[in-house]
Amino acid sequence: MRKGRKRFSLLLSVFLLTSSFYFGSVQSSIVQAAPEKSNPSAKAFDQKVIARVDSERIYKDIHHLSEKIGPRVTGTKEEKQTAEFIKKRLQSYGYNVEVQEFNIPDQMIGHLLAGGNQIDINIPAGSAATAKEGLTAELYDAKLGKPEDFTAEVVGKIALISRGEFSFQEKVANAVAAGAAGVLIYDNIDSPGPLNPSIGGETSVPVGGISKASGLSLLNDIALQGKTVTFTVEKLGSATSQNIIGTRKPKKGSGHDIVHVSAHFDSVPFAPGANDNASGTSVALELARILKSYPIDKELRFVFVGAEEIGLVGSEHYVSQLSQDEVKRSIANFNMDMVGTDWENATAIFMNAVDGKANIVSETALATAKRIGTPSELILYQRGSSDHVSFHDAGIPAINFIRREPGTANLEPYYHTPQDTIEHISKERLQEAGELVGASIYSLIRN
Ligand code: BES
Ligand code: ZN
């Protein structure tokens, strides 16, 4: 495949990057092929990386993270188990490994027991907790949760409310005003995971989100039969998360420039997170293996990040711990998040920049893609929503590599659902991400 590809010039591709245009409401630029002179030595260096990228290994690690460990929710033992796995791996490669632990805001964990069945439930931030033994009460069918949907019958019961027409916050406020002892909101569209409602502020009663299927079965089997459910909301206080940082410095000298390679390893509840983000984590681990012993003239840091899914907490903590000198020496952040989906429409590799502008990372990746003949289109795009934001905010040039559908910028339909599993991972695309990002990093740090 690689042999037949055209050769392109580094300079021309950098020039092309500046020719951006508007695409929907968001600035983006599509990278076009440009004719070029060859650079044989750069190609030989690329080969040192790309010939070694092994998608089978990457796939095995994704399997371990998403199937063996499963959902790696921030602050849980599964997230910690993943951190330990990454730490051991980096140590086995000879990196200097630091475990950076930090506090995370109190997390709410919910359980819903109905007729002997556990029902998957999400608890929004701001929900009240229940007593330890939970709240056992009848359900009240509150329809959409309009004021007129409530009668005095709701007092002391758990209001079962459908999503739709107006905000979650208003539904909860109406239920509380009518005297409900708790609120369950069910989805109005089919989804394999429970609804994740956000309710704005603190509430005086426990609140949870469930799927449409769960809501309808509660309505028929429990509410209409006058049976009770037990709803428990527990506050997970003083929880912690952690970043795992593997560092390699050049043999000689000090005060080198630093290249940060990041990927978050936590996931949202109920999602095995194979693509989001066991994919980026496992590609980064593979690059750590490949780059563990080549001579380098810059400091290389693999930053495996926890607590991304609760608001980039891990990466913010990481950059907050960098000294001014380290920030000054930081020349690039390559962030990988969702690089392995097999969703057929996600044919492009988006390079998300917070400001939508080309930087050293996007330019390096673009030049590398031309040299090695990356099959997918690369699209420079303006978007946050991952850990590159924290690096960008600290003034470090950063790009998030992510697969999306060109034109719409859509993500795969499995995103943040229980269907984000290894069945939807493409080995070819893992290979492509590993080669592109790996050869790009190496072109910056090689001696
Ligand atoms: N893996 C996604 C990354 C992402 C990037 C999603 C671009 C959508 C667009 C990430 O884990 C995620 O879900 N991010 C959150 C925001 C974050 C600050 C919690 C999101 O986009 O909702
Ligand atoms: Zn993610």
Side-chain angles (χ1 to χ4, degrees):
M1 289 290 279
R2 202 158 280 120
K3 281 182 208 130
R5 293 197 186 114
K6 286 184 204 151
R7 292 166 173 169
F8 304 104
S9 121
L10 198 148
L11 274 176
L12 265 175
S13 40
V14 168
F15 163 74
L16 272 164
L17 251 179
T18 59
S19 60
S20 55
F21 59 90
Y22 284 84
F23 175 115
S25 60
V26 187
Q27 190 189 10
S28 69
S29 79
I30 293 185
V31 175
Q32 303 284 342
E36 88 134 74
K37 289 182 244 151
S38 71
N39 183 346
S41 66
K43 290 195 172 199
F45 283 117
D46 292 335
Q47 280 306 317
K48 287 178 68 179
V49 174
I50 67 182
R52 293 183 61 203
V53 174
D54 180 354
S55 57
E56 292 297 335
R57 266 177 209 272
I58 302 171
Y59 194 80
K60 253 174 91 178
D61 283 346
I62 295 177
H63 184 266
H64 184 81
L65 267 51
S66 63
E67 295 283 309
K68 291 269 164 60
I69 298 179
R72 302 168 299 285
V73 179
T74 311
T76 62
K77 68 176 192 314
E78 288 78 12
E79 194 202 36
K80 295 207 179 336
Q81 202 182 334
T82 311
E84 191 61 23
F85 171 81
I86 294 167
K87 174 184 153 188
K88 292 223 170 87
R89 179 67 68 77
L90 290 171
Q91 283 172 336
S92 80
Y93 293 155
Y95 286 82
N96 185 353
V97 181
E98 184 198 345
V99 178
Q100 190 177 58
E101 200 170 18
F102 49 89
N103 295 322
I104 54 170
D106 292 342
Q107 305 292 299
M108 295 300 217
I109 304 212
H111 297 281
L112 181 61
L113 198 65
N117 297 319
Q118 282 281 357
I119 294 176
D120 288 349
I121 186 164
N122 275 314
I123 309 301
S127 164
T130 61
K132 230 191 169 126
E133 64 279 11
L135 167 67
T136 299
E138 286 180 34
L139 294 176
Y140 173 89
D141 176 9
K143 315 269 179 343
L144 280 162
K146 295 179 184 165
E148 60 269 30
D149 289 330
F150 295 95
T151 67
E153 277 288 294
V154 72
V155 177
K157 294 184 183 169
I158 298 171
L160 184 61
I161 306 177
S162 168
R163 176 185 187 178
E165 291 191 23
F166 56 101
S167 75
F168 297 131
Q169 198 168 353
E170 285 173 80
K171 290 172 195 281
V172 174
N174 294 342
V176 170
V183 177
L184 294 174
I185 305 176
Y186 59 96
D187 216 334
N188 58 358
I189 48 166
D190 290 321
S191 163
L195 178 70
N196 211 341
S198 72
I199 53 173
E202 306 256 312
T203 59
S204 55
V205 302
V207 179
I210 58 179
S211 70
K212 180 180 174 185
S214 298
L216 295 180
S217 77
L218 284 182
L219 203 56
N220 291 319
D221 304 342
I222 308 286
L224 297 178
Q225 319 278 332
K227 294 183 188 158
T228 62
V229 296
T230 299
F231 180 23
T232 312
V233 176
E234 187 191 341
K235 191 179 245 168
L236 195 73
S238 59
T240 61
S241 177
Q242 59 286 302
N243 301 322
I244 305 293
I245 303 133
T247 303
R248 238 199 103 195
K249 291 184 180 173
K251 287 242 158 63
K252 289 187 201 139
S254 61
H256 304 98
D257 287 349
I258 307 170
V259 171
H260 307 262
V261 186
S262 61
H264 77 85
F265 56 85
D266 61 320
S267 73
V268 297
F270 307 105
N275 194 39
D276 184 9
N277 184 31
S279 67
T281 301
S282 303
V283 173
L285 282 174
E286 176 65 348
L287 299 184
R289 184 185 71 84
I290 293 168
L291 297 171
K292 70 182 193 290
S293 48
Y294 292 147
I296 53 178
D297 67 2
K298 295 184 181 60
E299 183 174 329
L300 173 61
R301 284 197 201 178
F302 284 95
V303 187
F304 292 90
V305 177
E308 188 266 1
E309 297 287 5
I310 61 165
L312 316 180
V313 174
S315 54
E316 271 171 19
H317 181 76
Y318 174 72
V319 299
S320 79
Q321 299 303 299
L322 296 173
S323 68
Q324 274 191 356
D325 176 59
E326 285 174 307
V327 171
K328 247 197 269 162
R329 289 191 282 123
S330 295
I331 63 160
N333 166 237
F334 291 79
N335 174 251
M336 287 181 280
D337 193 354
M338 307 177 75
V339 294
T341 182
D342 75 350
W343 184 48
E344 58 178 4
N345 295 7
T347 56
I349 297 173
F350 277 59
M351 298 190 289
N352 288 346
V354 175
D355 56 10
K357 293 189 183 138
N359 61 29
I360 183 173
V361 182
S362 64
E363 289 182 7
T364 302
L366 187 54
T368 302
K370 303 290 190 234
R371 282 196 315 274
I372 69 176
T374 297
S376 298
E377 173 185 37
L378 300 191
I379 298 178
L380 181 64
Y381 196 72
Q382 184 172 18
R383 181 76 205 235
S385 299
S386 189
D387 295 308
H388 61 304
V389 175
S390 305
F391 289 88
H392 169 90
D393 290 350
I396 301 168
I399 290 284
N400 159 233
F401 293 85
I402 183 168
R403 259 196 191 272
R404 305 173 84 135
E405 179 178 43
T408 64
N410 282 339
L411 291 170
E412 68 271 21
Y414 328 113
Y415 169 59
H416 282 186
T417 76
Q419 291 165 323
D420 180 6
T421 63
I422 191 126
E423 279 86 65
H424 297 299
I425 291 291
S426 153
K427 286 184 190 166
E428 291 71 24
R429 287 173 172 181
L430 294 172
Q431 184 73 29
E432 208 181 316
E435 292 185 9
L436 173 66
V437 177
S440 297
I441 294 165
Y442 189 48
S443 74
L444 285 179
I445 66 172
R446 73 187 182 219
N447 201 347

